[in-house]
Amino acid sequence: MTKWTKKDLLGLEYLSAEEIELILDTAASFKEVSTRDIKKVPALRGKTAANLFYEPSTRTRVSFEIAEKRLSCDVVNMDMKASSVLKGETLADTGRNLEALKIDIFIMRHNMAGAPNVLARFVGGSVINAGDGKHEHPTQGLLDIYTLREKFGSLKGLNVSIIGDIAHSRVARSNLWGLTKLGANVTLCAPEIILPSDFKEFAPHVKITSDIDAALKDAHAINVLRMQFERDAAGAFPSPSEYYKEYGITKERLKKCRKDIVVMHPGPINRGIEISSDVADGPNSVIIEQVTNGIAVRMAVLYLVTLRSK
Ligand code: CP
Protein backbone atom coordinates (compact mmCIF):
# COMPACT_ATOMS: atom_id res chain seq x y z
CA MET A 1 0.00 0.00 0.00
CA THR A 2 1.33 3.47 -0.99
CA LYS A 3 2.16 5.80 1.90
CA TRP A 4 2.21 9.57 1.47
CA THR A 5 5.70 10.99 2.10
CA LYS A 6 5.73 14.38 0.35
CA LYS A 7 5.75 17.72 2.18
CA ASP A 8 4.17 19.67 -0.70
CA LEU A 9 1.87 19.29 -3.69
CA LEU A 10 3.49 21.38 -6.41
CA GLY A 11 2.42 19.53 -9.54
CA LEU A 12 1.26 16.18 -10.87
CA GLU A 13 4.58 15.94 -12.71
CA TYR A 14 6.20 15.12 -9.37
CA LEU A 15 3.75 12.35 -8.34
CA SER A 16 3.73 8.65 -9.17
CA ALA A 17 0.60 6.91 -10.46
CA GLU A 18 0.29 5.27 -7.02
CA GLU A 19 0.40 8.63 -5.23
CA ILE A 20 -2.29 10.03 -7.55
CA GLU A 21 -4.45 6.95 -6.87
CA LEU A 22 -3.91 7.45 -3.12
CA ILE A 23 -5.23 11.03 -3.37
CA LEU A 24 -8.24 9.87 -5.39
CA ASP A 25 -9.03 7.04 -2.94
CA THR A 26 -8.68 9.42 0.03
CA ALA A 27 -10.97 11.93 -1.74
CA ALA A 28 -13.57 9.20 -2.27
CA SER A 29 -13.65 8.53 1.47
CA PHE A 30 -13.94 12.26 2.27
CA LYS A 31 -16.74 12.92 -0.25
CA GLU A 32 -19.34 11.49 2.10
CA VAL A 33 -18.53 14.10 4.78
CA SER A 34 -20.18 16.80 2.64
CA THR A 35 -23.48 14.85 2.61
CA ARG A 36 -23.78 14.84 6.42
CA ASP A 37 -25.88 17.28 8.47
CA ILE A 38 -22.74 18.23 10.36
CA LYS A 39 -20.17 18.48 7.58
CA LYS A 40 -17.07 18.26 9.72
CA VAL A 41 -14.37 15.80 10.77
CA PRO A 42 -11.55 16.51 13.26
CA ALA A 43 -8.70 15.38 10.96
CA LEU A 44 -6.83 18.74 10.93
CA ARG A 45 -7.85 20.06 14.35
CA GLY A 46 -5.02 22.20 15.71
CA LYS A 47 -3.55 22.95 12.25
CA THR A 48 -3.66 26.34 10.54
CA ALA A 49 -3.84 26.95 6.79
CA ALA A 50 -3.12 30.25 5.03
CA ASN A 51 -4.76 30.90 1.67
CA LEU A 52 -2.45 33.10 -0.40
CA PHE A 53 -4.19 34.03 -3.65
CA TYR A 54 -2.15 36.55 -5.61
CA GLU A 55 -4.51 36.06 -8.61
CA PRO A 56 -8.33 36.01 -8.80
CA SER A 57 -10.16 32.76 -8.13
CA THR A 58 -13.69 31.65 -7.36
CA ARG A 59 -13.80 27.83 -7.42
CA THR A 60 -10.32 27.01 -6.12
CA ARG A 61 -10.28 29.60 -3.36
CA VAL A 62 -13.74 28.84 -2.01
CA SER A 63 -13.38 25.06 -2.21
CA PHE A 64 -10.00 25.14 -0.43
CA GLU A 65 -11.57 27.20 2.36
CA ILE A 66 -14.54 24.83 2.60
CA ALA A 67 -12.20 21.80 2.56
CA GLU A 68 -10.07 23.32 5.35
CA LYS A 69 -13.15 24.04 7.48
CA ARG A 70 -14.62 20.55 6.89
CA LEU A 71 -11.35 19.14 8.26
CA SER A 72 -11.59 21.43 11.35
CA CYS A 73 -8.48 23.34 10.27
CA ASP A 74 -8.06 26.99 11.35
CA VAL A 75 -8.06 29.25 8.28
CA VAL A 76 -6.32 32.53 7.49
CA ASN A 77 -7.42 34.20 4.26
CA MET A 78 -4.69 36.63 3.24
CA ASP A 79 -5.73 39.66 1.23
CA MET A 80 -2.64 39.89 -0.99
CA LYS A 81 -3.67 43.39 -2.12
CA ALA A 82 -3.46 44.52 1.51
CA SER A 83 -0.31 42.60 2.45
CA SER A 84 3.28 43.76 2.88
CA VAL A 85 4.07 42.25 -0.53
CA LEU A 86 3.06 45.70 -1.83
CA LYS A 87 5.88 47.21 0.26
CA GLY A 88 8.43 45.03 -1.49
CA GLU A 89 8.52 42.02 0.84
CA THR A 90 9.87 38.93 -0.89
CA LEU A 91 8.05 35.64 -1.16
CA ALA A 92 10.68 34.02 1.08
CA ASP A 93 10.22 36.67 3.78
CA THR A 94 6.44 36.46 3.58
CA GLY A 95 6.72 32.68 4.01
CA ARG A 96 9.17 32.87 6.91
CA ASN A 97 7.03 35.44 8.74
CA LEU A 98 3.85 33.42 8.27
CA GLU A 99 5.70 30.39 9.56
CA ALA A 100 6.68 32.40 12.65
CA LEU A 101 2.91 32.83 13.12
CA LYS A 102 2.63 29.00 13.12
CA ILE A 103 1.06 28.44 9.73
CA ASP A 104 1.21 24.71 8.89
CA ILE A 105 -0.14 24.72 5.30
CA PHE A 106 0.30 27.36 2.61
CA ILE A 107 -2.14 27.32 -0.32
CA MET A 108 -0.77 29.50 -3.08
CA ARG A 109 -2.07 30.83 -6.39
CA HIS A 110 0.42 33.02 -8.23
CA ASN A 111 0.83 34.46 -11.72
CA MET A 112 4.49 33.35 -11.82
CA ALA A 113 5.21 29.74 -12.80
CA GLY A 114 7.28 28.15 -10.03
CA ALA A 115 6.32 30.58 -7.24
CA PRO A 116 4.96 27.75 -5.00
CA ASN A 117 8.17 25.77 -5.62
CA VAL A 118 10.16 28.78 -4.36
CA LEU A 119 7.99 29.19 -1.26
CA ALA A 120 8.29 25.46 -0.50
CA ARG A 121 12.08 25.82 -0.24
CA PHE A 122 11.80 28.50 2.45
CA VAL A 123 9.13 27.08 4.74
CA GLY A 124 8.95 23.88 6.75
CA GLY A 125 5.17 23.73 6.39
CA SER A 126 3.40 22.19 3.41
CA VAL A 127 2.85 24.20 0.23
CA ILE A 128 -0.06 23.36 -2.07
CA ASN A 129 -0.02 24.86 -5.55
CA ALA A 130 -3.45 26.35 -6.36
CA GLY A 131 -2.34 27.35 -9.89
CA ASP A 132 0.97 28.98 -10.88
CA GLY A 133 1.24 30.89 -14.14
CA LYS A 134 1.28 28.52 -17.11
CA HIS A 135 2.91 25.73 -15.09
CA GLU A 136 0.43 23.53 -13.19
CA HIS A 137 -2.89 23.50 -11.37
CA PRO A 138 -2.57 20.12 -9.68
CA THR A 139 -5.78 20.09 -7.62
CA GLN A 140 -7.78 21.01 -10.77
CA GLY A 141 -6.10 18.15 -12.64
CA LEU A 142 -6.90 15.82 -9.73
CA LEU A 143 -10.55 16.82 -9.54
CA ASP A 144 -10.92 16.40 -13.30
CA ILE A 145 -9.40 12.92 -13.07
CA TYR A 146 -11.49 12.11 -9.99
CA THR A 147 -14.64 13.06 -11.92
CA LEU A 148 -13.60 10.84 -14.84
CA ARG A 149 -12.83 7.94 -12.50
CA GLU A 150 -16.30 8.29 -10.94
CA LYS A 151 -17.88 8.15 -14.40
CA PHE A 152 -15.76 5.40 -16.00
CA GLY A 153 -14.29 3.44 -13.06
CA SER A 154 -10.78 3.52 -14.52
CA LEU A 155 -8.64 5.83 -16.63
CA LYS A 156 -6.85 3.00 -18.44
CA GLY A 157 -7.48 3.18 -22.18
CA LEU A 158 -9.85 6.14 -21.84
CA ASN A 159 -9.70 8.62 -24.75
CA VAL A 160 -9.64 12.17 -23.36
CA SER A 161 -9.40 15.20 -25.64
CA ILE A 162 -8.28 18.53 -24.21
CA ILE A 163 -9.53 21.29 -26.49
CA GLY A 164 -8.65 24.98 -26.42
CA ASP A 165 -5.88 27.24 -25.25
CA ILE A 166 -3.32 24.50 -24.58
CA ALA A 167 -0.27 26.78 -24.76
CA HIS A 168 -1.32 29.04 -21.89
CA SER A 169 -3.05 26.45 -19.74
CA ARG A 170 -1.78 25.12 -16.42
CA VAL A 171 -4.92 22.94 -16.33
CA ALA A 172 -3.82 21.24 -19.57
CA ARG A 173 -0.37 20.47 -18.13
CA SER A 174 -1.68 18.98 -14.88
CA ASN A 175 -4.28 16.93 -16.78
CA LEU A 176 -1.61 15.69 -19.16
CA TRP A 177 0.70 14.51 -16.40
CA GLY A 178 -2.09 12.89 -14.40
CA LEU A 179 -4.04 11.30 -17.24
CA THR A 180 -1.01 9.79 -18.96
CA LYS A 181 0.36 8.40 -15.66
CA LEU A 182 -2.97 6.63 -15.10
CA GLY A 183 -3.03 5.15 -18.61
CA ALA A 184 -5.44 7.41 -20.52
CA ASN A 185 -4.90 8.34 -24.17
CA VAL A 186 -4.83 12.12 -24.50
CA THR A 187 -5.47 14.24 -27.59
CA LEU A 188 -4.56 17.92 -27.50
CA CYS A 189 -6.51 20.09 -29.92
CA ALA A 190 -6.10 23.81 -30.61
CA PRO A 191 -5.45 26.22 -33.47
CA GLU A 192 -1.87 25.64 -34.63
CA ILE A 193 -0.46 28.88 -33.25
CA ILE A 194 -1.44 28.00 -29.66
CA LEU A 195 -0.59 24.31 -29.95
CA PRO A 196 3.02 23.97 -28.76
CA SER A 197 5.05 21.03 -30.01
CA ASP A 198 6.94 20.66 -26.70
CA PHE A 199 4.74 17.87 -25.43
CA LYS A 200 6.98 15.15 -26.83
CA GLU A 201 7.84 13.94 -23.32
CA PHE A 202 4.29 12.61 -23.05
CA ALA A 203 4.66 10.37 -26.12
CA PRO A 204 3.38 7.83 -27.02
CA HIS A 205 0.23 8.58 -25.03
CA VAL A 206 -0.49 11.97 -26.58
CA LYS A 207 -1.79 12.98 -30.01
CA ILE A 208 -1.60 16.59 -31.12
CA THR A 209 -3.99 17.96 -33.72
CA SER A 210 -5.67 21.13 -34.93
CA ASP A 211 -8.53 19.12 -36.43
CA ILE A 212 -11.50 19.44 -34.07
CA ASP A 213 -13.39 16.58 -35.76
CA ALA A 214 -10.42 14.24 -35.22
CA ALA A 215 -10.24 15.29 -31.55
CA LEU A 216 -13.93 14.60 -30.98
CA LYS A 217 -14.10 11.29 -32.86
CA ASP A 218 -13.78 8.35 -30.43
CA ALA A 219 -13.37 10.64 -27.39
CA HIS A 220 -14.92 9.23 -24.20
CA ALA A 221 -14.49 12.64 -22.60
CA ILE A 222 -13.48 16.16 -23.55
CA ASN A 223 -12.02 18.84 -21.32
CA VAL A 224 -12.80 22.23 -22.86
CA LEU A 225 -10.42 25.03 -21.92
CA ARG A 226 -11.20 28.71 -21.72
CA MET A 227 -9.73 30.83 -24.50
CA GLN A 228 -7.87 33.58 -22.65
CA PHE A 229 -8.82 36.31 -25.14
CA GLU A 230 -8.27 38.99 -22.50
CA ARG A 231 -4.62 37.86 -22.32
CA ASP A 232 -2.26 35.79 -24.47
CA ALA A 233 -4.80 34.14 -26.75
CA ALA A 234 -5.82 37.48 -28.22
CA GLY A 235 -3.15 37.23 -30.91
CA ALA A 236 -3.84 33.59 -31.66
CA PHE A 237 -7.20 33.85 -33.38
CA PRO A 238 -8.89 36.70 -35.27
CA SER A 239 -11.89 37.00 -32.92
CA PRO A 240 -13.88 35.10 -30.30
CA SER A 241 -16.74 34.57 -32.77
CA GLU A 242 -14.40 33.03 -35.34
CA TYR A 243 -12.89 30.76 -32.67
CA TYR A 244 -16.43 29.68 -31.72
CA LYS A 245 -17.22 28.85 -35.35
CA GLU A 246 -14.04 26.78 -35.84
CA TYR A 247 -13.53 25.19 -32.39
CA GLY A 248 -16.56 25.94 -30.20
CA ILE A 249 -18.18 22.88 -28.63
CA THR A 250 -21.78 23.12 -29.79
CA LYS A 251 -24.77 20.78 -29.84
CA GLU A 252 -24.19 20.22 -33.58
CA ARG A 253 -20.59 19.12 -33.00
CA LEU A 254 -21.62 16.92 -30.08
CA LYS A 255 -24.11 15.06 -32.33
CA LYS A 256 -21.11 13.54 -34.17
CA CYS A 257 -19.56 12.24 -30.92
CA ARG A 258 -20.18 9.18 -28.76
CA LYS A 259 -23.68 9.49 -27.26
CA ASP A 260 -22.30 9.17 -23.74
CA ILE A 261 -19.37 11.58 -24.17
CA VAL A 262 -18.51 13.38 -20.93
CA VAL A 263 -18.02 17.15 -21.25
CA MET A 264 -15.78 18.86 -18.72
CA HIS A 265 -14.58 22.44 -18.27
CA PRO A 266 -12.44 23.73 -15.38
CA GLY A 267 -14.22 27.11 -15.37
CA PRO A 268 -14.69 29.97 -15.62
CA ILE A 269 -16.73 29.33 -18.78
CA ASN A 270 -16.94 31.79 -21.64
CA ARG A 271 -20.33 30.83 -23.07
CA GLY A 272 -20.55 31.27 -26.81
CA ILE A 273 -16.74 31.30 -27.20
CA GLU A 274 -15.34 27.85 -26.36
CA ILE A 275 -18.64 26.18 -25.47
CA SER A 276 -22.35 26.79 -26.09
CA SER A 277 -24.78 27.11 -23.19
CA ASP A 278 -26.83 24.10 -24.32
CA VAL A 279 -23.71 21.91 -24.08
CA ALA A 280 -22.39 23.47 -20.85
CA ASP A 281 -25.78 22.97 -19.17
CA GLY A 282 -26.75 19.82 -21.10
CA PRO A 283 -26.97 16.14 -20.13
CA ASN A 284 -23.38 15.28 -21.10
CA SER A 285 -21.89 18.04 -18.96
CA VAL A 286 -20.27 17.26 -15.60
CA ILE A 287 -18.99 20.80 -15.10
CA ILE A 288 -20.91 21.39 -11.86
CA GLU A 289 -19.96 17.91 -10.55
CA GLN A 290 -16.31 18.86 -11.10
CA VAL A 291 -16.76 21.86 -8.81
CA THR A 292 -18.38 19.73 -6.09
CA ASN A 293 -15.63 17.09 -6.36
CA GLY A 294 -13.07 19.85 -5.81
CA ILE A 295 -13.95 19.89 -2.10
CA ALA A 296 -13.27 16.16 -1.54
CA VAL A 297 -10.08 16.26 -3.61
CA ARG A 298 -8.75 19.29 -1.70
CA MET A 299 -9.70 17.70 1.64
CA ALA A 300 -7.65 14.67 0.59
CA VAL A 301 -4.62 16.76 -0.40
CA LEU A 302 -4.73 18.86 2.81
CA TYR A 303 -5.03 15.70 4.90
CA LEU A 304 -2.21 13.81 3.16
CA VAL A 305 0.37 16.62 3.21
CA THR A 306 -0.12 17.04 6.97
CA LEU A 307 -0.05 13.25 7.57
CA ARG A 308 3.55 13.31 6.46
CA SER A 309 4.53 15.39 9.49
CA LYS A 310 2.69 13.26 12.07
N1 CP B 1 -10.79 26.29 -12.30
C1 CP B 1 -10.31 27.33 -11.59
O1 CP B 1 -9.12 27.37 -11.22
O2 CP B 1 -11.22 28.30 -11.31
P1 CP B 1 -10.92 29.57 -10.40
O3 CP B 1 -9.93 30.43 -11.16
O4 CP B 1 -12.24 30.25 -10.21
O5 CP B 1 -10.32 29.10 -9.13
Side-chain angles (χ1 to χ4, degrees):
M1 184 153 162
T2 309
K3 275 184 81 175
W4 189 267
T5 55
K6 293 194 162 61
K7 175 173 94 68
D8 312 299
L9 177 69
L10 301 173
L12 299 194
E13 175 180 1
Y14 316 114
L15 300 188
S16 65
E18 291 72 26
E19 287 170 322
I20 294 172
E21 297 274 16
L22 176 62
I23 296 173
L24 302 180
D25 292 343
T26 308
S29 66
F30 275 132
K31 190 165 175 179
E32 178 269 330
V33 173
S34 293
T35 65
R36 298 180 191 171
D37 273 351
I38 298 171
K39 302 173 179 56
K40 234 179 178 44
V41 288
L44 292 194
R45 201 161 53 192
K47 301 280 184 193
T48 307
N51 298 321
L52 284 72
F53 281 70
Y54 291 78
E55 259 194 355
S57 166
T58 297
R59 282 145 289 268
T60 312
R61 184 182 179 128
V62 173
S63 63
F64 260 115
E65 186 173 342
I66 291 172
E68 289 151 5
K69 288 178 173 169
R70 297 231 160 126
L71 292 168
S72 307
C73 188
D74 292 327
V75 180
V76 176
N77 285 311
M78 295 274 300
D79 178 357
M80 300 322 291
K81 288 197 186 80
S83 79
S84 289
V85 169
L86 296 187
K87 299 178 202 162
E89 186 168 69
T90 64
L91 203 51
D93 281 332
T94 300
R96 285 196 198 101
N97 280 275
L98 289 175
E99 195 145 68
L101 297 169
K102 305 295 177 207
I103 298 296
D104 301 290
I105 317 166
F106 301 81
I107 292 85
M108 175 183 256
R109 170 166 290 191
H110 205 286
N111 61 325
M112 298 298 293
N117 300 55
V118 172
L119 180 65
R121 289 206 299 272
F122 288 99
V123 295
S126 296
V127 177
I128 300 174
N129 180 0
D132 61 329
K134 296 171 195 167
H135 175 221
E136 280 223 35
H137 191 346
T139 57
Q140 181 67 47
L142 287 165
L143 76 89
D144 293 344
I145 292 167
Y146 181 91
T147 305
L148 286 172
R149 200 177 78 154
E150 266 194 342
K151 293 287 159 203
F152 295 99
S154 164
L155 276 287
K156 252 193 176 48
L158 205 68
N159 300 327
V160 183
S161 292
I162 304 175
I163 299 164
D165 194 354
I166 308 288
H168 306 112
S169 174
R170 54 198 177 205
V171 175
R173 274 170 187 76
S174 288
N175 265 272
L176 253 177
W177 283 113
L179 288 168
T180 52
K181 283 177 192 208
L182 297 192
N185 308 309
V186 179
T187 298
L188 301 176
C189 178
E192 259 165 46
I193 198 147
I194 49 167
L195 190 57
S197 55
D198 62 349
F199 287 110
K200 291 191 185 75
E201 59 196 299
F202 297 99
H205 300 291
V206 175
K207 269 191 243 158
I208 299 178
T209 182
S210 290
D211 180 346
I212 183 74
D213 294 323
L216 292 176
K217 188 175 177 295
D218 300 330
H220 296 100
I222 54 174
N223 202 344
V224 186
L225 302 178
R226 190 172 74 87
M227 281 296 286
Q228 300 180 35
F229 273 107
E230 82 285 7
R231 291 207 294 198
D232 310 309
F237 222 75
S239 69
S241 61
E242 277 163 288
Y243 180 83
Y244 185 62
K245 191 162 161 270
E246 298 292 324
Y247 287 95
I249 304 303
T250 59
K251 217 172 171 178
E252 289 63 43
R253 285 214 160 94
L254 224 56
K255 277 183 193 152
K256 296 188 219 156
C257 302
R258 293 172 64 100
K259 256 195 161 51
D260 59 350
I261 190 167
V262 165
V263 177
M264 301 196 295
H265 192 307
I269 292 173
N270 287 150
R271 294 169 185 266
I273 299 180
E274 70 268 359
I275 193 165
S276 64
S277 278
D278 49 14
V279 173
D281 306 327
N284 297 81
S285 169
V286 295
I287 295 170
I288 294 300
E289 285 174 57
Q290 287 172 265
V291 178
T292 302
N293 287 336
I295 297 174
V297 164
R298 289 174 176 124
M299 286 172 81
V301 170
L302 288 159
Y303 174 70
L304 288 170
V305 293
T306 51
L307 249 196
R308 169 228 38 128
S309 55
K310 276 184 187 158

